[in-house]
Amino acid sequence: MNDKPAVTVRDDPERGVFLALLDDGTEAGGAYYERSGDVVSFDHTEVPSELEGQGVGSALARGALDTVRARGERIVVKCPFIRAYLERHPEYQDLRADRG
């Protein structure tokens, strides 16, 4: 199956996570964070093993970073997945509060 699942990203601030949601509303992963003022510190990202390699993680990272940008916030990256995503997508580097 080569079709990538459609993913919607939604912020759940009470849980401190950007959620990846499939079309049927199923949670398909999360980018966990802590917020301090206008800085979002990404700590950990999870995608179920059965969905790995299907673009869910990338859609999650993109949606979370686009949301942060739209809100005028900055990021600190502790999560290896988000760090790797930023290396592949330099257009998001300007969001980093942990870089000069």
Side-chain angles (χ1 to χ4, degrees):
M1 178 176 178
N2 290 335
D3 291 334
K4 292 183 178 183
V7 176
T8 302
V9 176
R10 179 176 58 84
D11 188 10
D12 186 341
E14 291 79 26
R15 291 171 53 195
V17 61
F18 284 96
L19 295 169
L21 302 170
L22 301 180
D23 282 341
D24 65 1
T26 302
E27 288 186 17
Y32 295 85
Y33 66 84
E34 293 180 11
R35 184 183 306 275
S36 178
D38 66 348
V39 176
V40 177
S41 178
F42 286 100
D43 300 316
H44 178 67
T45 301
E46 294 179 352
V47 172
S49 58
E50 64 270 15
L51 293 174
E52 288 179 2
Q54 297 184 40
V56 173
S58 292
L60 174 58
R62 182 175 52 254
L65 294 170
D66 286 345
T67 299
V68 167
R69 173 170 279 141
R71 293 176 179 168
E73 298 171 330
R74 307 280 312 276
I75 63 171
V76 171
V77 182
K78 299 176 185 174
C79 169
F81 183 84
I82 298 293
R83 183 176 295 115
Y85 186 85
L86 287 171
E87 289 173 6
R88 292 188 311 273
H89 298 275
E91 65 271 23
Y92 291 106
Q93 290 292 333
D94 64 306
L95 296 177
R96 296 196 66 167
D98 56 352
R99 294 274 169 100

Short mmCIF file of all heavy atoms in Angstrom, two decimals, residues 67-96:
data_model
loop_
_atom_site.label_atom_id
_atom_site.label_comp_id
_atom_site.label_asym_id
_atom_site.label_seq_id
_atom_site.Cartn_x
_atom_site.Cartn_y
_atom_site.Cartn_z
N THR A 67 1.74 25.67 12.87
CA THR A 67 0.89 26.26 13.91
C THR A 67 1.70 27.21 14.78
O THR A 67 1.26 28.32 15.09
CB THR A 67 0.24 25.15 14.77
OG1 THR A 67 -0.57 24.33 13.92
CG2 THR A 67 -0.62 25.75 15.88
N VAL A 68 2.89 26.78 15.17
CA VAL A 68 3.77 27.63 15.98
C VAL A 68 4.06 28.93 15.22
O VAL A 68 3.96 30.03 15.78
CB VAL A 68 5.07 26.88 16.34
CG1 VAL A 68 6.12 27.83 16.89
CG2 VAL A 68 4.79 25.76 17.33
N ARG A 69 4.39 28.80 13.95
CA ARG A 69 4.69 29.99 13.13
C ARG A 69 3.48 30.92 13.05
O ARG A 69 3.60 32.14 13.22
CB ARG A 69 5.13 29.58 11.74
CG ARG A 69 5.29 30.80 10.83
CD ARG A 69 5.94 30.47 9.52
NE ARG A 69 7.38 30.42 9.75
CZ ARG A 69 8.20 29.54 9.21
NH1 ARG A 69 7.74 28.62 8.40
NH2 ARG A 69 9.48 29.58 9.47
N ALA A 70 2.30 30.36 12.80
CA ALA A 70 1.09 31.17 12.67
C ALA A 70 0.77 31.94 13.95
O ALA A 70 0.19 33.02 13.91
CB ALA A 70 -0.09 30.29 12.27
N ARG A 71 1.16 31.39 15.09
CA ARG A 71 0.91 32.04 16.38
C ARG A 71 2.01 33.02 16.75
O ARG A 71 1.93 33.67 17.80
CB ARG A 71 0.81 30.97 17.49
CG ARG A 71 -0.40 30.09 17.35
CD ARG A 71 -0.38 29.03 18.41
NE ARG A 71 -1.55 28.17 18.32
CZ ARG A 71 -1.68 27.02 18.97
NH1 ARG A 71 -0.71 26.60 19.77
NH2 ARG A 71 -2.77 26.31 18.85
N GLY A 72 3.06 33.12 15.95
CA GLY A 72 4.16 34.02 16.25
C GLY A 72 5.04 33.53 17.38
O GLY A 72 5.72 34.33 18.03
N GLU A 73 5.06 32.22 17.60
CA GLU A 73 5.86 31.63 18.68
C GLU A 73 7.21 31.17 18.14
O GLU A 73 7.46 31.18 16.94
CB GLU A 73 5.09 30.46 19.31
CG GLU A 73 3.79 30.90 19.94
CD GLU A 73 2.91 29.74 20.38
OE1 GLU A 73 2.96 28.66 19.76
OE2 GLU A 73 2.16 29.92 21.35
N ARG A 74 8.07 30.75 19.05
CA ARG A 74 9.40 30.23 18.72
C ARG A 74 9.49 28.82 19.29
O ARG A 74 8.66 28.42 20.09
CB ARG A 74 10.49 31.10 19.34
CG ARG A 74 10.42 32.59 19.04
CD ARG A 74 10.95 33.05 17.69
NE ARG A 74 12.23 32.57 17.28
CZ ARG A 74 13.41 33.07 17.61
NH1 ARG A 74 13.51 34.09 18.41
NH2 ARG A 74 14.52 32.55 17.12
N ILE A 75 10.53 28.09 18.92
CA ILE A 75 10.69 26.72 19.39
C ILE A 75 12.07 26.48 20.00
O ILE A 75 13.04 27.14 19.66
CB ILE A 75 10.46 25.69 18.26
CG1 ILE A 75 11.50 25.86 17.14
CG2 ILE A 75 9.04 25.79 17.72
CD1 ILE A 75 11.48 24.76 16.10
N VAL A 76 12.11 25.51 20.90
CA VAL A 76 13.33 24.90 21.40
C VAL A 76 13.19 23.43 21.07
O VAL A 76 12.13 22.83 21.28
CB VAL A 76 13.52 25.12 22.92
CG1 VAL A 76 14.68 24.30 23.45
CG2 VAL A 76 13.71 26.60 23.21
N VAL A 77 14.25 22.83 20.53
CA VAL A 77 14.17 21.46 20.05
C VAL A 77 15.01 20.53 20.91
O VAL A 77 16.24 20.62 20.91
CB VAL A 77 14.62 21.37 18.58
CG1 VAL A 77 14.49 19.94 18.07
CG2 VAL A 77 13.82 22.32 17.72
N LYS A 78 14.34 19.65 21.65
CA LYS A 78 14.99 18.60 22.41
C LYS A 78 14.73 17.23 21.79
O LYS A 78 15.42 16.27 22.06
CB LYS A 78 14.49 18.61 23.86
CG LYS A 78 14.78 19.90 24.58
CD LYS A 78 14.16 19.89 25.97
CE LYS A 78 14.35 21.22 26.66
NZ LYS A 78 13.63 21.25 27.95
N CYS A 79 13.73 17.17 20.93
CA CYS A 79 13.28 15.93 20.31
C CYS A 79 14.13 15.60 19.07
O CYS A 79 14.23 16.42 18.16
CB CYS A 79 11.81 16.08 19.90
SG CYS A 79 11.20 14.77 18.86
N PRO A 80 14.72 14.41 19.03
CA PRO A 80 15.54 14.03 17.87
C PRO A 80 14.76 14.02 16.55
O PRO A 80 15.32 14.37 15.51
CB PRO A 80 16.05 12.63 18.21
CG PRO A 80 15.92 12.51 19.70
CD PRO A 80 14.77 13.40 20.09
N PHE A 81 13.50 13.63 16.57
CA PHE A 81 12.72 13.58 15.33
C PHE A 81 12.50 14.99 14.79
O PHE A 81 12.69 15.24 13.58
CB PHE A 81 11.38 12.88 15.54
CG PHE A 81 10.60 12.75 14.26
CD1 PHE A 81 10.83 11.71 13.40
CD2 PHE A 81 9.65 13.71 13.92
CE1 PHE A 81 10.15 11.61 12.19
CE2 PHE A 81 8.95 13.62 12.71
CZ PHE A 81 9.20 12.57 11.85
N ILE A 82 12.08 15.91 15.65
CA ILE A 82 11.87 17.30 15.20
C ILE A 82 13.19 17.91 14.75
O ILE A 82 13.25 18.61 13.74
CB ILE A 82 11.22 18.15 16.31
CG1 ILE A 82 9.83 17.60 16.70
CG2 ILE A 82 11.13 19.62 15.89
CD1 ILE A 82 8.76 17.72 15.62
N ARG A 83 14.27 17.61 15.45
CA ARG A 83 15.60 18.11 15.05
C ARG A 83 15.95 17.62 13.64
O ARG A 83 16.38 18.40 12.78
CB ARG A 83 16.67 17.68 16.04
CG ARG A 83 18.05 18.24 15.71
CD ARG A 83 19.09 17.87 16.77
NE ARG A 83 18.76 18.48 18.04
CZ ARG A 83 18.43 17.79 19.14
NH1 ARG A 83 18.41 16.47 19.13
NH2 ARG A 83 18.15 18.42 20.26
N ALA A 84 15.73 16.33 13.38
CA ALA A 84 16.03 15.77 12.05
C ALA A 84 15.12 16.40 10.99
O ALA A 84 15.57 16.68 9.87
CB ALA A 84 15.87 14.26 12.08
N TYR A 85 13.85 16.63 11.33
CA TYR A 85 12.93 17.27 10.38
C TYR A 85 13.44 18.67 10.02
O TYR A 85 13.43 19.05 8.85
CB TYR A 85 11.52 17.33 10.97
CG TYR A 85 10.50 17.85 9.98
CD1 TYR A 85 9.89 16.99 9.08
CD2 TYR A 85 10.18 19.21 9.93
CE1 TYR A 85 8.97 17.47 8.14
CE2 TYR A 85 9.27 19.69 9.00
CZ TYR A 85 8.68 18.82 8.11
OH TYR A 85 7.78 19.30 7.19
N LEU A 86 13.90 19.41 11.01
CA LEU A 86 14.41 20.76 10.77
C LEU A 86 15.65 20.73 9.87
O LEU A 86 15.84 21.63 9.05
CB LEU A 86 14.74 21.46 12.09
CG LEU A 86 13.55 21.91 12.93
CD1 LEU A 86 14.02 22.38 14.29
CD2 LEU A 86 12.76 22.99 12.23
N GLU A 87 16.48 19.71 10.02
CA GLU A 87 17.67 19.60 9.17
C GLU A 87 17.27 19.38 7.72
O GLU A 87 17.94 19.88 6.81
CB GLU A 87 18.56 18.46 9.67
CG GLU A 87 19.26 18.79 10.97
CD GLU A 87 20.00 17.61 11.56
OE1 GLU A 87 20.10 16.54 10.91
OE2 GLU A 87 20.49 17.75 12.69
N ARG A 88 16.18 18.66 7.49
CA ARG A 88 15.70 18.41 6.12
C ARG A 88 14.86 19.56 5.58
O ARG A 88 14.61 19.63 4.37
CB ARG A 88 14.89 17.11 6.07
CG ARG A 88 15.69 15.86 6.32
CD ARG A 88 14.88 14.59 6.06
NE ARG A 88 13.57 14.58 6.70
CZ ARG A 88 13.33 14.16 7.95
NH1 ARG A 88 14.33 13.76 8.72
NH2 ARG A 88 12.11 14.17 8.42
N HIS A 89 14.38 20.43 6.48
CA HIS A 89 13.48 21.52 6.08
C HIS A 89 13.97 22.84 6.69
O HIS A 89 13.40 23.34 7.67
CB HIS A 89 12.05 21.21 6.53
CG HIS A 89 11.50 19.98 5.89
ND1 HIS A 89 10.91 19.99 4.65
CD2 HIS A 89 11.50 18.70 6.30
CE1 HIS A 89 10.56 18.76 4.33
NE2 HIS A 89 10.91 17.96 5.31
N PRO A 90 15.01 23.42 6.11
CA PRO A 90 15.62 24.63 6.69
C PRO A 90 14.68 25.83 6.73
O PRO A 90 14.95 26.79 7.44
CB PRO A 90 16.83 24.89 5.79
CG PRO A 90 16.56 24.15 4.53
CD PRO A 90 15.70 22.97 4.90
N GLU A 91 13.57 25.76 6.00
CA GLU A 91 12.62 26.88 6.02
C GLU A 91 12.01 27.10 7.40
O GLU A 91 11.39 28.14 7.64
CB GLU A 91 11.52 26.68 4.97
CG GLU A 91 10.60 25.50 5.22
CD GLU A 91 11.07 24.17 4.59
OE1 GLU A 91 12.28 24.01 4.32
OE2 GLU A 91 10.21 23.30 4.37
N TYR A 92 12.20 26.14 8.32
CA TYR A 92 11.67 26.29 9.68
C TYR A 92 12.74 26.74 10.68
O TYR A 92 12.43 26.95 11.84
CB TYR A 92 11.04 24.98 10.15
CG TYR A 92 9.77 24.63 9.43
CD1 TYR A 92 9.73 23.62 8.48
CD2 TYR A 92 8.58 25.32 9.70
CE1 TYR A 92 8.56 23.29 7.82
CE2 TYR A 92 7.41 25.00 9.03
CZ TYR A 92 7.41 24.00 8.09
OH TYR A 92 6.24 23.68 7.44
N GLN A 93 13.98 26.87 10.25
CA GLN A 93 15.07 27.22 11.18
C GLN A 93 14.84 28.57 11.87
O GLN A 93 15.28 28.78 12.99
CB GLN A 93 16.43 27.23 10.46
CG GLN A 93 16.91 25.86 10.06
CD GLN A 93 17.29 24.99 11.25
OE1 GLN A 93 17.67 25.47 12.31
NE2 GLN A 93 17.20 23.69 11.06
N ASP A 94 14.14 29.49 11.20
CA ASP A 94 13.90 30.80 11.79
C ASP A 94 13.03 30.75 13.03
O ASP A 94 12.97 31.71 13.79
CB ASP A 94 13.29 31.75 10.75
CG ASP A 94 11.90 31.27 10.30
OD1 ASP A 94 11.79 30.11 9.87
OD2 ASP A 94 10.95 32.06 10.38
N LEU A 95 12.37 29.62 13.28
CA LEU A 95 11.53 29.49 14.47
C LEU A 95 12.33 29.20 15.72
O LEU A 95 11.81 29.33 16.83
CB LEU A 95 10.51 28.34 14.27
CG LEU A 95 9.48 28.54 13.16
CD1 LEU A 95 8.62 27.29 13.04
CD2 LEU A 95 8.62 29.76 13.45
N ARG A 96 13.58 28.82 15.56
CA ARG A 96 14.38 28.35 16.70
C ARG A 96 14.76 29.49 17.65
O ARG A 96 15.39 30.45 17.26
CB ARG A 96 15.62 27.63 16.23
CG ARG A 96 15.21 26.37 15.47
CD ARG A 96 16.29 25.40 15.27
NE ARG A 96 16.75 24.84 16.54
CZ ARG A 96 17.52 23.79 16.59
NH1 ARG A 96 17.91 23.19 15.50
NH2 ARG A 96 17.92 23.33 17.75
#
